[in-house]
C-alpha cells in the first residue's frame, strides 16, 4: 500500500487517553510529519488486554470486536504502544478462532496495525527529524514491542537523529520493568523487586532522562523513581521525537 | 513432594526477605543467561535447529504410543525390563519391588526431576532404604533436607557459605575440622571423597533420562560431573525412571535435541558427559549392571496429550525459561512450591496438581515473553499460562474483588460513550487533585500500586475530550 497520503487510524490506548494525552498529540504530530492523514475513531476505549490476560475471554473478545469495527476502513492503524499494537496484531486473530468471518476481519486489521515508532521507521521510512533536545537519555525496551513486534533498532535510530541528545545504553534494557498489566497490583512485592532492579540500572547509566515506547512501563518506572527521590525524568519517546517535551515529565508537578 | 504452591504469596515474601537467596539469584544473569547469549549466535543454524527440535517433538507426540512400544521392544530385546506406571504410586511401588528383590540397603541416584515428582527419596527412606544423591547440587540439598530450586541446578539458591556449613555439619568426624573449604574446588573434592564409598556400597543405582531412544532402546543422560555413569554402572541394578514424553525416534533426532539442549541450558556446546545405556551387562562386557529396568511414568501425561496444554509435553527440561524469567530471578524456585519452578512450572503445576493448588503460578507473570524467546522447542508458554487463567476465571477461583473490578471495567470498556463520560470526569478530578505534585503517594483503591511506587497523575482532560474540543478528525 503506497498511497501518497495514507489514512491512519490512531489507536490512542487507554493509558495515553486517560493519563497522558500529550503522547497522543505527539503521535499525531509525528504521523502527520510522516505524511499520514490521522483520524481518531470515537468508539475506542482499550485493546482489551486486562480482560484477555485476566482470563476473561468473553469480554476480551467483545472489546476486540469493537476495535475491529472501529478501525475497519483505515490503511493503517497505529498505536503509541507496543503492548496494545501487539495485542491487536498478534492476539486478536486467535480470539476469533471459532468465528471465520470475524477471524478474517481481525486478521486483516492485524496486518494493518503497527506500533508507532516502528511504523514511522519501517513503513514510512522516517530518518530525519528537525528536533533539538539537550539531554543524556537512556532507553528501556518494553517487552511486547520488543518480543512480539521486533521494536529495537527503530527507536534508537530516530533518537540518534535528535540534535543534542546523547543516548546511553541501559544495562538490562530488555528486562521487564515489572508492571505487567494487573500483575503489579496482584503481586506487588515481586513487581517492586523488578522495578527496583530497573531503577538501579537506570541510575547506573547516569542519564537524566528515561524513554520508552509504552506508557504502562513508563508510569511504573516514573512512580518508582519518584518514590526513591530520584531526579531522573521519564517520558514517552514520542514526546521527545515530536519536539513536545516541554510539558512536565511523567509524574512531575507543574513548575 | 508436598506442594506449597497455594501459599505462593507467603513463599514470595520469605524469598524476597532472604538475603542469601537474593545474592545467589543475582548470579543467574551473569552465568546461565550470559552463557546462552554467547553460545546461541556461535551456531548460525541455532534457530533452525530449534524449529527442527519442535517438529521432532511434535511428531513424537503425534505417535507417542508407537515409539513407546518400539522402545519397550528394544529394551526387552537387550535383556532389560520395562515397567509401565500410570501414577506416582505405581512408579514408587515398582521401584521398591526391584530394590527389595536384592535386599537393597542403599541406592545411589543421579539427578532426576521425575524422582522428585514421585517423591522417591522420602518413600525409599520410609521403607528403610537410604537414597544417596550423587549429583553435587542434589547432594548438597539432600544434606540440607530441601527440594531442588531449579531443574538443572538444584542448589542454585545457595551461596558458598551455606554449602560449607552443610558439609561441616554432615561430614563431622570424617575430615579434619580445621580444613579449609573456602574454594569451591575444596567442596567438590570433599563431596567426591564422601561419595566414592557410597558409589561402591550401593545395591541399586537410579537415574533419570533425558531421552529414551525408540530405535535402539537406549536411555540417555547428560551430566557435567560424570556421577550418573558411576551411579548406573557400579551397582548390580540400574533403574531408569522417566516420563513417557522422553521417548525420541532415532539417534539422529537425539543428537538434534542434544545440540539445542546444552546450548539452551548452560550455553555449552555439549555437556561434559552424554551417556547412553543399553540393557544390562552382556557376556564379555567388562562392567555394567546385572539388571536394567526402565520405569515409564505417565502421571497425567496421556491426558495432557489430548488436551489444551499438549505443547508443554515438548519440554526437554533445559531450564532456560526459568533462567530468563524475571519473576524466577526475583523469588527463586522454592517460591513456586512444587517440583517444577519458573514458566514451565507455571504451566505444569496447575495441570498436574489442579488450579486450586497452582492458580497463582500462571498469574504471577508479567507475560514479558523472555521465556518463550529462548525455549529451544518453542513452547507457547504465555498462551498456556493464559489458558490456566481462563480456566481459573471460568471456575471463579480468583478473588471476588478482582473479578468484580474486572467486570466493572469491562462494562465501561464495552460502552465507549459511557466510558468517555466517566473517564472524562474521573481524570479531571484526579488531575486536579494531583496538579501540584504531579503524582500520588497514596490513593484510595490504588494500594497495590502505591505500596511501592507513586502513581503519576493524569495531565488533565482525556485525549478524547481534547481531540474533540480541537475539532480533530473523527469517525
Ligand atoms: S519449557 Fe522450554 S525453556 Fe523451559 S525447560 Fe522446557 S524446553 Fe526448556
Amino acid at each position: 500500500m503506497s498511497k501518497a497520503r495514507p489514512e491512519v487510524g490512531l489507536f490512542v490506548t487507554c493509558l495515553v487517553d486517560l493519563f497522558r494525552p500529550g503522547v497522543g498529540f505527539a503521535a499525531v504530530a509525528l504521523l502527520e510529519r510522516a505524511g499520514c492523514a490521522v483520524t481518531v475513531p470515537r468508539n475506542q476505549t482499550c485493546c482489551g488486554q486486562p480482560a484477555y490476560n485476566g482470563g476473561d475471554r468473553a469480554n476480551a473478545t467483545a472489546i476486540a470486536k469493537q476495535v475491529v469495527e472501529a478501525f475497519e476502513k483505515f490503511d493503517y492503524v497505529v498505536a503509541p504502544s507496543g503492548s496494545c499494537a501487539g495485542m491487536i496484531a498478534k492476539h486478536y486473530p486467535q480470539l476469533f478462532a471459532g468465528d471465520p468471518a470475524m477471524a478474517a476481519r481481525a486478521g486483516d486489521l492485524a496486518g494493518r496495525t503497527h506500533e508507532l515508532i516502528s511504523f514511522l521507521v519501517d513503513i514510512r521510512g522516517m530518518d530525519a527529524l528537525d528536533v533539538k533536545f539537550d539531554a543524556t537519555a537512556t532507553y528501556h525496551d518494553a517487552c511486547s514491542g520488543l518480543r512480539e513486534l521486533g521494536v529495537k533498532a527503530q527507536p534508537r535510530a530516530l533518537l540518534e537523529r535528535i540534535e543534542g541528545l546523547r543516548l546511553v545504553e541501559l544495562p538490562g534494557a530488555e528486562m521487564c520493568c515489572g508492571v505487567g498489566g494487573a500483575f503489579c497490583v496482584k503481586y506487588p512485592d515481586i513487581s517492586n523487586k523488578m522495578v527496583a532492579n530497573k531503577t538501579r540500572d537506570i541510575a547506573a547509566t547516569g542519564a537524566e532522562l528515561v524513554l520508552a515506547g509504552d506508557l504502562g512501563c513508563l508510569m511504573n518506572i516514573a512512580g518508582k523513581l519518584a518514590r526513591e527521590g530520584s531526579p531522573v525524568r521519564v517520558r514517552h519517546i514520542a514526546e521527545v521525537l515530536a519536539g513536545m517535551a516541554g510539558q512536565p515529565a511523567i509524574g512531575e508537578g507543574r513548575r | 513432594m508436598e506442594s506449597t504452591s497455594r501459599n505462593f504469596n507467603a513463599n514470595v515474601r520469605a524469598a524476597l526477605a532472604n538475603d542469601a537467596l537474593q545474592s545467589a539469584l543475582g548470579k543467574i544473569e551473569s552465568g546461565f543467561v550470559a552463557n546462552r547469549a554467547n553460545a546461541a549466535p556461535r551456531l548460525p543454524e541455532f534457530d533452525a535447529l530449534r524449529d527442527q527440535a519442535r517438529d521432532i517433538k511434535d511428531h513424537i507426540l503425534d505417535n507417542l504410543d508407537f515409539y513407546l512400544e518400539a522402545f519397550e521392544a528394544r529394551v526387552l530385546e537387550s535383556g532389560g525390563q520395562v515397567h509401565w506406571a500410570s501414577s506416582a504410586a505405581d512408579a514408587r511401588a515398582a521401584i521398591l519391588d526391584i530394590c527389595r528383590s536384592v535386599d537393597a540397603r542403599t541406592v545411589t541416584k543421579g539427578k532426576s526431576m521425575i524422582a522428585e515428582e514421585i517423591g522417591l527419596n522420602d518413600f525409599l527412606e520410609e521403607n528403610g532404604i537410604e537414597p544417596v544423591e550423587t549429583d553435587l547440587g542434589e547432594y548438597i540439598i539432600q544434606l540440607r533436607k530441601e527440594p531442588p530450586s531449579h531443574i538443572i541446578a538444584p542448589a542454585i539458591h545457595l551461596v558458598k557459605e551455606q554449602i560449607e556449613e552443610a558439609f561441616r555439619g554432615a561430614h563431622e568426624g570424617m575430615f579434619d575440622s580445621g580444613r579449609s573449604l573456602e574454594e569451591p574446588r575444596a567442596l567438590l573434592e570433599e563431596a567426591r571423597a564422601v561419595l566414592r564409598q557410597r558409589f561402591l556400597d550401593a545395591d541399586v543405582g537410579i537415574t533419570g533420562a533425558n531421552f529414551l531412544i525408540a530405535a535402539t532402546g537406549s536411555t540417555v543422560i547428560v551430566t557435567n560431573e560424570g556421577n550418573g555413569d558411576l551411579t548406573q554402572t557400579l551397582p548390580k541394578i540400574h533403574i531408569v525412571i522417566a516420563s513417557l514424553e522422553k521417548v525420541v525416534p532415532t539417534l539422529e533426532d537425539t543428537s538434534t535435541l542434544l545440540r539445542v539442549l546444552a546450548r539452551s541450558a548452560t550455553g555449552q556446546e555439549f555437556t561434559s558427559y552424554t551417556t547412553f545405556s543399553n540393557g544390562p551387562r552382556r557376556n564379555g562386557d567388562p562392567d555394567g549392571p546385572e539388571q536394567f529396568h526402565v520405569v515409564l511414568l505417565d502421571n497425567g501425561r496421556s491426558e495432557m496429550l489430548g488436551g489444551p496444554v499438549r505443547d508443554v509435553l515438548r519440554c526437554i527440561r533445559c531450564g532456560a525459561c526459568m533462567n530468563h524469567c524475571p519473576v524466577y530471578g526475583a523469588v527463586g524456585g522454592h517460591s513456586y512450591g512444587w517440583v517444577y519452578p519458573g514458566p514451565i512450572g507455571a504451566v505444569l503445576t496447575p495441570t498436574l496438581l489442579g488450579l486450586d493448588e497452582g492458580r497463582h503460578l500462571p498469574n504471577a507473570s508479567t507475560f514479558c515473553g523472555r521465556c518463550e524467546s529462548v525455549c529451544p522447542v518453542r513452547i507457547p508458554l504465555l498462551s498456556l499460562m493464559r489458558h490456566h487463567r481462563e480456566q481459573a476465571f471460568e471456575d471463579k477461583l480468583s478473588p471476588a474483588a478482582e473479578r468484580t473490578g474486572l467486570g466493572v471495567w469491562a462494562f465501561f470498556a464495552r460502552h465507549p460513550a459511557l466510558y468517555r463520560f466517566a473517564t472524562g470526569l474521573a481524570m479531571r478530578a484526579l488531575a486536579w487533585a494531583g496538579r501540584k505534585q504531579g503524582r500520588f503517594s497514596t490513593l484510595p483503591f490504588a494500594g497495590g500500586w502505591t505500596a511501592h511506587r507513586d502513581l503519576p497523575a493524569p495531565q488533565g482532560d482525556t485525549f478524547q475530550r481534547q481531540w474533540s474540543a480541537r475539532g480533530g478528525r473523527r469517525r
Side-chain angles (χ1 to χ4, degrees):
Chain A
M1 224 173 319
S2 55
K3 261 196 227 169
R5 194 171 163 75
E7 291 282 341
V8 168
L10 181 69
F11 187 81
V12 183
T13 80
C14 58
L15 286 180
V16 167
D17 179 37
L18 304 185
F19 282 90
R20 203 146 176 93
V23 175
F25 288 106
V28 172
L30 287 166
L31 288 166
E32 286 177 346
R33 194 169 310 165
C36 306
V38 182
T39 300
V40 182
R42 202 185 296 273
N43 267 355
Q44 55 173 311
T45 57
C46 166
C47 67
Q49 268 191 89
Y52 185 55
N53 290 337
D56 182 355
R57 205 176 171 93
N59 271 319
T61 310
I63 294 167
K65 185 159 183 274
Q66 190 171 283
V67 175
V68 171
E69 283 163 354
F71 287 89
E72 202 104 71
K73 292 276 146 42
F74 298 103
D75 297 325
Y76 298 106
V77 175
V78 175
S81 154
S83 176
C84 313
M87 174 71 184
I88 298 173
K90 302 289 169 185
H91 297 277
Y92 274 17
Q94 292 171 25
L95 277 174
F96 300 104
D99 178 349
M102 269 312 294
R105 288 166 73 187
D108 178 63
L109 173 64
R112 289 180 284 122
T113 299
H114 299 271
E115 179 276 337
L116 174 68
I117 310 302
S118 51
F119 177 76
L120 294 173
V121 173
D122 298 341
I123 306 294
R124 299 304 297 165
M126 184 180 269
D127 63 356
L129 286 160
D130 188 17
V131 177
K132 267 187 70 171
F133 190 69
D134 211 18
T136 303
T138 193
Y139 182 84
H140 162 71
D141 293 291
C143 297
S144 305
L146 174 71
R147 297 194 185 86
E148 290 189 334
L149 305 174
V151 181
K152 176 79 185 179
Q154 306 92 332
R156 288 169 176 79
L158 287 185
L159 287 171
E160 272 165 20
R161 296 303 173 124
I162 293 184
E163 207 189 315
L165 191 92
R166 288 166 304 283
L167 189 63
V168 283
E169 268 303 317
L170 176 62
E174 297 185 358
M175 286 295 275
C176 177
C177 75
V179 73
F183 171 84
C184 65
V185 292
K186 284 193 202 165
Y187 298 95
D189 298 339
I190 310 176
S191 175
N192 179 47
K193 173 80 186 168
M194 291 164 71
V195 72
N197 289 345
K198 183 59 70 181
T199 54
R200 176 202 61 204
D201 291 346
I202 289 168
T205 64
E208 62 205 283
L209 176 69
V210 192
L211 302 171
D214 259 278
L215 193 51
C217 318
L218 290 164
M219 288 175 65
N220 183 36
I221 293 169
K224 188 64 187 177
L225 286 168
R227 179 64 56 93
E228 290 172 341
S230 164
V232 176
R233 298 211 171 110
V234 182
R235 291 184 187 280
H236 193 287
I237 181 175
E239 300 172 32
V240 175
L241 295 180
M244 293 166 73
Q247 55 197 326
I250 297 169
E252 190 180 40
R254 301 238 165 90
R255 279 165 291 175
Chain B
M1 174 180 164
E2 203 67 46
S3 165
T4 66
S5 293
R6 65 170 68 227
N7 304 329
F8 179 74
N9 281 325
N11 296 348
V12 162
R13 273 193 297 278
L16 288 169
N18 181 338
D19 291 339
L21 171 66
Q22 291 300 325
S23 136
L25 291 172
K27 300 191 185 102
I28 297 179
E29 284 291 321
S30 56
F32 284 144
V33 171
N35 292 345
R36 182 202 175 274
N38 289 333
R42 282 207 302 266
L43 184 67
E45 67 270 34
F46 185 53
D47 277 338
L49 275 177
R50 290 170 68 193
D51 289 340
Q52 266 182 42
R54 174 200 55 208
D55 296 345
I56 290 171
K57 288 298 266 186
D58 273 340
H59 170 80
I60 294 164
L61 296 179
D62 285 342
N63 302 280
L64 193 60
D65 46 354
F66 172 81
Y67 288 119
L68 283 169
E69 280 168 20
F71 171 75
E72 179 185 34
R74 297 292 94 74
V75 171
L76 296 178
E77 277 166 27
S78 65
Q81 298 176 49
V82 174
H83 310 262
W84 300 85
S86 66
S87 67
D90 288 355
R92 288 191 300 257
I95 292 170
L96 183 61
D97 280 351
I98 302 167
C99 291
R100 286 210 165 134
S101 71
V102 291
D103 287 326
R105 296 265 176 75
T106 64
V107 308
T108 41
K109 282 185 67 217
K111 196 178 146 24
S112 158
M113 293 311 295
I114 295 298
E116 294 294 330
E117 183 178 322
I118 66 172
L120 185 59
N121 284 3
D122 287 350
F123 175 77
L124 290 175
E125 270 171 19
E126 282 159 22
N127 286 282
I129 299 170
E130 187 195 359
V132 180
E133 295 289 354
T134 64
D135 170 274
L136 181 60
E138 291 283 351
Y139 178 70
I140 293 164
I141 59 170
Q142 188 181 28
L143 294 183
R144 289 175 49 93
K145 299 190 185 358
E146 51 184 8
S149 65
H150 188 289
I151 62 174
I152 68 160
I156 200 165
H157 58 287
L158 298 174
V159 293
K160 205 183 67 206
E161 291 69 28
Q162 292 169 299
I163 300 169
E164 179 176 341
E165 190 188 312
F167 277 27
R168 289 197 187 279
H171 303 159
E172 207 177 326
M174 299 163 75
F175 300 92
D176 176 10
S177 61
R179 70 195 184 282
S180 163
L181 291 174
E182 263 301 295
E183 291 300 312
R185 184 89 223 159
L187 292 166
L188 182 68
E189 295 297 343
E190 180 160 321
R192 282 220 171 108
V194 175
L195 285 171
R196 196 161 296 134
Q197 195 54 42
R198 312 307 310 257
F199 279 123
L200 295 168
D201 292 344
D203 306 297
V204 174
I206 302 178
T207 65
N210 292 85
F211 306 104
L212 310 169
I213 305 178
T216 60
S218 322
T219 67
V220 185
I221 55 170
V222 297
T223 71
N224 278 319
E225 296 164 17
N227 63 303
D229 297 13
L230 295 174
T231 302
Q232 66 185 43
T233 50
L234 292 178
K236 283 194 284 290
I237 299 186
H238 176 202
I239 305 176
V240 177
I241 164 110
S243 51
L244 303 182
E245 77 281 10
K246 290 287 189 292
V247 74
V248 174
T250 63
L251 280 163
E252 207 176 327
D253 295 327
T254 305
S255 89
T256 303
L257 293 170
L258 282 168
R259 293 180 80 192
V260 296
L261 173 61
R263 284 180 172 82
S264 303
T266 54
Q268 290 167 290
E269 284 176 18
F270 236 67
T271 33
S272 308
Y273 299 86
T274 303
T275 309
F276 294 70
S277 311
N278 271 67
R281 175 198 302 216
R282 294 163 304 186
N283 281 337
D285 279 352
D287 53 21
E290 289 163 22
Q291 293 180 33
F292 177 75
H293 298 265
V294 182
V295 178
L296 284 174
L297 178 73
D298 184 326
N299 208 25
R301 268 73 175 181
S302 41
E303 212 175 306
M304 286 160 69
L305 200 58
V309 300
R310 170 193 171 103
D311 287 344
V312 84
L313 292 172
R314 290 205 296 263
C315 177
I316 55 173
R317 303 286 190 272
C318 71
C321 55
M322 58 202 74
N323 293 340
H324 290 77
C325 175
V327 173
Y328 181 95
V331 303
H334 288 156
S335 298
Y336 291 79
W338 197 56
V339 181
Y340 304 102
I344 181 65
V347 177
L348 272 178
T349 305
T351 307
L352 294 174
L353 302 187
L355 270 169
D356 242 352
E357 183 63 35
R359 130 187 125 72
H360 277 298
L361 310 189
N363 273 289
S365 162
T366 62
F367 280 174
C368 79
R370 208 170 173 223
C371 53
E372 270 189 21
S373 73
V374 295
C375 176
V377 285
R378 303 199 189 279
I379 296 174
L381 291 157
L382 272 51
S383 302
L384 298 178
M385 283 189 245
R386 192 180 290 106
H387 162 77
H388 283 317
R389 294 185 185 189
E390 285 172 356
Q391 196 59 53
F393 183 83
E394 211 167 280
D395 298 348
K396 300 194 169 37
L397 292 177
S398 46
E402 201 179 297
R403 287 201 313 281
T404 311
L406 190 57
V408 171
W409 168 85
F411 172 81
F412 279 100
R414 291 176 64 171
H415 296 85
L418 221 55
Y419 179 93
R420 280 197 303 277
F421 176 74
T423 56
L425 284 181
M427 291 307 122
R428 264 183 297 171
L430 262 188
W432 184 81
R435 67 196 179 286
K436 275 218 191 70
Q437 290 298 315
R439 58 183 182 266
F440 304 96
S441 54
T442 59
L443 200 67
F445 305 114
W449 180 283
T450 56
H452 298 295
R453 48 179 115 50
D454 292 354
L455 179 69
Q459 282 181 312
D461 258 341
T462 63
F463 179 85
Q464 289 284 9
R465 283 181 60 93
Q466 294 189 48
W467 185 256
S468 291
R470 294 183 194 188
R473 275 165 53 118
R474 279 296 199 188
R475 180 174 290 175

